[in-house]
Amino acid sequence: MSDNNATGLRDFIDWVQQRNPHEPEFNQAVRELASDIYPMYTEHQGWRAAKVLERLSEADRIITFRVCWEDDHGEVQVNRGWRVQHCGAIGPYKGGVRFHRTVTVSVLKFLAFEQTFKNALTGLPIGGGKGGSDFDPSGRSEREIMRFCQAFMDELYRHIGENTDVPAGDINVGRREIGYLFGHYRRLVNTFSGALTGKDIEFGGSHVRMEATGYGLIYFLRCMLAQREQELDGLSIAISGAGNVALHAAQKATHLGAKVVTLSSSQGTLFSKQGIPCEAIDRAIEQSGSTTDVLKTIQSDCGGDWLKDEKPWGQRCDVALPCATQNEIDADDAQALADSHCQIVAEGANMPCTEDATRLFKENKILHAPGKASNAGGVALSGLEMAQNASFSRWDQEQLNDKLLEIMQDIHAQCIQHAGDEDSYKDYHRGANIAAFQRVANAVMAQGVG
Ligand code: GLU
């Protein structure tokens, strides 16, 4: 990067930091994208004059609200809810809702920012948004979860709609929660519409939606391997998490002949040297419950060692798939993966690697796919659910799986097109950021200042 560009980038990063103090995750996400696109940005007079990058580092709208509900003991609980509508230039705001005690406005701003560029890579007409609450569902009864979802929707319903903003699931928001949210929305507005995705198949949901993020991740990984004339069969894969994304990635990987050696929760890692068998993963997917319960069931099914308080990254693997949460891989974890000759890291979660970890992967020539590319399968299928709802139709499983595969292959091709080829190393971060930014920036510019 030229000196001028380096100074311009630093000034931009400082400007974002000053406007968003105490928001480390949001600043990190903006920094990561800006560093990759800045040289291209400065060469494009039109974008610069229209301040497209500056505009895209400010959400269109952030809604903050109180969520008040009664627990099973009759005690009133007070939580916070948010919806960040980041960019609507390409289509209605689209992105999940997360319920977790770590949810803050910084986390949701980073997720909504990432979502805008991820959604652009899918090629579908969907803008970017994200929502959530600091509500912690662990230990809550089914009825408490329902009452919380209804209280959350009591405010959210005013801001969403099939052509305005279409929420879906994320951490701790699965088919059950979407059912409660959708039911309450439908009753409040007295209209049956596709204003949420991830719905049950019986009321407007789509085949393959549940599997899509995890399966899409493995389809993307296969493209990365094919690029190096390698195959998935026989490789050892370390996966973190034991939720929807992790389990479906594990299921698809094992069905395709890979050996999944780890799954994990915040309490520790389940390690199986010979690989977790497909049947155990299939059964775990059928089971509902906390990630720790899921892992206990898998262990009682097939053995393996429980490594208390450990992350998966100390185990030998060819491929690492972080599928838990943001910044779960730090520099030490990245070094451990490099030392064990891991060749590929593909993100199932959003921004699961710290900037130091990302730098280390690059230095060690470990291929590293960012979540906005490799985990885009979930939102892509959500886009296809919206298409089915809008056309009052239902597509079959095979058709949808083929479309998912096609979208992931197309995202991979976009990444490769812009990834560069320094010492024959493909920089997937740069590829994804450049391809996504071009699409969003052009749409923002074409629609004038506003
Ligand atoms: N939460 C998922 C994501 O991070 C899916 C969003 C959606 O389907 O709208 O992409």
Side-chain angles (χ1 to χ4, degrees), residues 12 16 25-34 37 52-59 84-87 106-120 127-130 351 372 433 436-437 440:
F12 169 73
V16 175
E25 297 86 359
F26 177 66
N27 278 283
Q28 182 183 343
V30 176
R31 221 163 30 227
E32 287 190 7
L33 178 117
I37 60 107
V52 172
L53 181 59
E54 289 79 352
R55 283 156 70 183
L56 282 169
S57 55
E58 197 67 51
V84 179
Q85 298 179 332
H86 182 260
C87 177
S106 169
V107 167
L108 295 177
K109 276 170 72 177
F110 114 68
L111 287 164
F113 180 84
E114 288 288 290
Q115 196 82 45
T116 292
F117 298 101
K118 179 193 314 197
N119 294 3
K130 200 88 183 191
M351 206 173 73
K372 60 170 80 70
N433 283 330
F437 186 80
V440 180

Side-chain angles (χ1 to χ4, degrees), residues 94-97 111 115 118-119 130 166-171 197 209 213 350 375-376 378-380 382:
K94 179 85 199 85
V97 167
L111 287 164
Q115 196 82 45
K118 179 193 314 197
N119 294 3
K130 200 88 183 191
V166 185
D170 197 77
I171 294 175
T197 61
R209 176 61 192 89
T213 315
N350 293 310
N375 77 28
V379 75
S382 274

